[in-house]
């Protein structure tokens, strides 16, 4: 496409080409990668779906997706016309092996035109129940046989529980090798999530205090203001624990808690993260209620607008017992983290959209200032803000100017927006580019995905068998159920309010990738 990078020729083959993910995330990401000159010179997109639709109409639909969802805003005419020439749509039934002949024909056509062999990226942007037949058909049709050239990208949810995730891994591994499989967790593509590694391991000054001797506890919050939107049918089988904690929050926890990697090799980093998941203390079956709480939103007000209860959302049962909020307390049983609690919470229809990691340090060992000086004293806190207003904030004590000794809490802030003057690339841009380059660092390995399921299985099993007695139990626009406050209050702590200044996305320039 844009003849701008040394990467090998590649064809991105999207199953689910007429679906929401393709127009909302994948094609806008391809568009931005093209504008940033990051794609190989020979790069085509072939999309496959059942819907019968002409090329012009399909391209109009994709362009609308870019206009609405790209970080650069509306698509540029010239750029879009260059890209759309490289997009083909095949209307075919994924479940029928004969459809794959058509696909193979289209792939050969691109390669004949380029006079080169290309890498084939099979992107499964489809519901999980279709994965098995597509993977089987890729195997039967011979499209997956060249190990060095074929890669498969699998979207979340990766299974429904440990057993189904294990089965899904077996299905994939019958046709592909682990090194060809890219399991998506889009949080790992976020710049600020990747920056956790840079922050921890490219600076010598934090690592010596990054353990149980100095860190008192850690909180990870991923709060959303949106409700379940149009995804009721999916969400009714998921819930917040499966949808967010099993993947995004546990991946963040792994990055915060992992040991330093020896090299920047994909497997080295993934193994270090896996060690964390394996070290998480199993939640005892008979104590789930002391370690996990769930909630479901009822009607409420969000920024002056009425928000309807989860049970009244489209495709949701009026008696639904699915949780839209979940909080868990976990311990990582190893030398570094023994007995340091990690509190994780996530929910929909919360008052602010914010994802952040809050590291609370222990108090000073001896308070030498007079009590009158320390009335406003607070422990040191480091906040890694994943979104919005991406950055890192260090909160510490300083002397308030004036003749009387008073300590006051002050903040040192690194803001991505101010420093780099451009919005970070979207997670899907990073992830698609990594698949093209064959870098699996930001993708889940089979053992990681299963280890993450193992962590939450005791809670899932308990919640599946013991229905909640108080649903709905939090108002839209509040910070979740009272039981969430109680979970952390029992340990003499409270949830730390996010330190967002505006609560809105930082207004960064959206073009250009260079530092300011
Ligand atoms: C997805 C979940 O994985 O992440 C959604 O399925 C959730 O329910 C979304 O809304 C949040 O992602 P982001 O990038 O908007 O924080």
């Amino acid at each position: 496409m844009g003849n701008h990078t040394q990467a090998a020729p590649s064809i991105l083959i999207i199953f689910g080409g007429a679906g929401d993910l393709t127009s909302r995330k994948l094609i806008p990401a391809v568009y931005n990668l093209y504008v940033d000159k990051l794609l190989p010179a020979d790069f085509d997109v072939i999309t496959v779906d059942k819907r019968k639709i002409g090329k012009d109409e399909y391209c109009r639909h994709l362009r609308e997706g870019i206009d609405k969802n790209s970080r650069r805003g509306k698509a540029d005419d010239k750029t879009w016309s260059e890209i759309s020439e490289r997009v083909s749509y095949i209307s075919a039934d994924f479940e029928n092996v004969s459809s794959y002949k058509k696909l193979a024909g289209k792939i050969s056509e691109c390669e004949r035109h380029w006079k080169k062999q290309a890498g084939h990226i099979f992107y499964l942007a489809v519901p999980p129940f279709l994965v098995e037949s597509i993977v089987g058909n890729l195997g039967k049709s011979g499209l997956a046989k060249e190990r060095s050239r074929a890669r498969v990208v699998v979207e979340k949810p990766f299974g429904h529980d440990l057993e189904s995730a294990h089965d899904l891994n077996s299905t994939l591994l019958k046709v592909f090798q682990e090194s060809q499989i890219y399991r998506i967790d889009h949080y790992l593509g976020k710049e600020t999530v990747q920056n956790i590694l840079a922050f921890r391991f490219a600076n010598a000054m934090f690592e010596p205090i990054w353990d149980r001797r100095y860190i008192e506890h850690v909180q990870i919050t991923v709060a959303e203001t949106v409700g379940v939107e149009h995804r009721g049918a999916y969400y009714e089988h998921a819930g917040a624990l499966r949808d967010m904690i099993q993947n995004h929050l546990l991946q963040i926890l792994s990055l915060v808690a992992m040991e330093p990697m020896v090299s920047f090799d994909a497997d080295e980093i993934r193994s270090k993260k896996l060690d964390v998941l394996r070290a998480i203390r199993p939640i005892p079956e008979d104590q789930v209620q002391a370690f996990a709480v769930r909630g479901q939103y009822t009607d409420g007000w969000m920024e002056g607008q009425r928000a309807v209860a989860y049970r009244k959302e489209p495709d949701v049962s009026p008696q639904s017992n699915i949780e839209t909020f979940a909080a868990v307390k976990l311990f990582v049983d190893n030398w570094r983290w023994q007995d340091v609690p990690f509190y994780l919470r996530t929910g929909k229809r919360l008052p602010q959209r914010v994802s952040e990691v809050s590291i609370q340090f222990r108090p000073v060992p001896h308070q030498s200032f007079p009590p009158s000086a320390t009335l406003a004293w607070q422990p040191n806190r480091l906040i890694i803000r994943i979104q919005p207003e991406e950055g890192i904030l260090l909160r510490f004590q300083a002397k308030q100017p004036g003749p009387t000794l008073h300590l006051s809490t002050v903040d040192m802030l690194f803001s991505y927006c101010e420093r780099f003057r451009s919005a970070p690339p979207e997670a899907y841009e990073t992830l698609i580019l990594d698949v093209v380059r064959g870098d699996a660092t930001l993708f889940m390995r089979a053992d990681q995905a299963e280890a993450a399921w193992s962590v939450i299985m005791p809670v899932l099993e308990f919640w599946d068998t013991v229905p909640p007695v108080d649903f709905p139990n939090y108002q839209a626009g509040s910070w979740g159920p009272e039981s969430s406050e109680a979970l952390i209050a029992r340990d003499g702590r409270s949830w730390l309010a996010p330190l967002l200044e505006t609560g809105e996305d930082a207004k960064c320039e959206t073009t250009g990738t260079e530092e300011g």
Side-chain angles (χ1 to χ4, degrees), residues 266-393:
D267 270 329
E268 163 67 4
I269 294 176
R270 298 193 294 179
S271 298
K272 289 284 188 313
K273 287 169 64 190
L274 177 64
D275 286 346
V276 175
L277 294 172
R278 288 198 173 143
I280 292 178
R281 189 181 303 166
I283 295 179
E285 277 166 41
D286 56 348
Q287 287 174 41
V288 167
Q289 290 174 89
F291 287 87
V293 299
R294 54 184 154 168
Q296 188 193 77
Y297 61 85
T298 182
D299 308 78
W301 291 91
M302 308 268 320
E303 294 182 348
Q305 304 273 337
R306 192 87 190 132
V308 300
Y310 175 70
R311 287 178 177 180
K312 292 186 210 147
E313 300 272 20
D315 302 321
V316 169
S317 152
Q319 284 86 39
S320 175
N321 279 333
I322 285 295
E323 80 285 355
T324 57
F325 177 99
V328 290
K329 173 167 83 166
L330 299 171
F331 290 96
V332 179
D333 280 342
N334 61 19
W335 278 48
R336 189 188 283 266
W337 296 113
Q338 192 65 40
D339 293 334
V340 176
F342 286 74
Y343 299 97
L344 278 50
R345 66 174 167 167
T346 185
K348 294 199 182 281
R349 288 286 188 223
L350 301 186
Q352 273 181 334
R353 172 178 175 257
V354 60
S355 299
E356 68 177 32
V357 181
S358 214
I359 316 248
Q360 176 130 332
F361 290 88
R362 292 192 187 282
V364 288
H366 168 63
Q367 193 56 277
S368 33
F369 296 96
S372 59
T374 56
L375 292 175
W377 182 89
Q378 286 183 21
N380 297 145
R381 209 171 134 191
L382 180 86
I383 291 131
I384 302 174
R385 214 181 263 158
I386 293 164
Q387 63 187 25
E389 297 178 22
E390 292 81 357
I392 295 180
L393 186 141

Side-chain angles (χ1 to χ4, degrees), residues 6 107 140 214 286-287 325 370 375 411 436 465:
Q6 297 302 312
I107 292 174
K140 284 185 214 146
Y214 296 95
D286 56 348
Q287 287 174 41
F325 177 99
L375 292 175
D411 294 335
V436 170
T465 44

Side-chain angles (χ1 to χ4, degrees), residues 156 186-187 190 224 231 234 243-244 248 348 387:
K156 75 171 268 271
H186 80 278
Y187 261 62
K190 291 185 191 269
E224 297 186 276
R231 296 166 71 226
Y234 152 74
D243 187 45
M244 300 293 284
H248 309 326
K348 294 199 182 281
Q387 63 187 25

Side-chain angles (χ1 to χ4, degrees), residues 177-210:
Q177 282 183 339
E178 182 59 40
S179 60
Q180 298 174 278
I181 306 170
Y182 293 73
R183 297 173 193 78
I184 292 251
D185 179 324
H186 80 278
Y187 261 62
L188 296 177
K190 291 185 191 269
E191 283 289 322
T192 36
V193 172
Q194 294 171 61
N195 190 47
I196 297 175
L197 286 185
F199 178 77
R200 289 194 54 202
F201 303 130
N203 298 296
M205 68 194 185
F206 301 105
E207 200 45 29
I209 56 167
W210 208 260

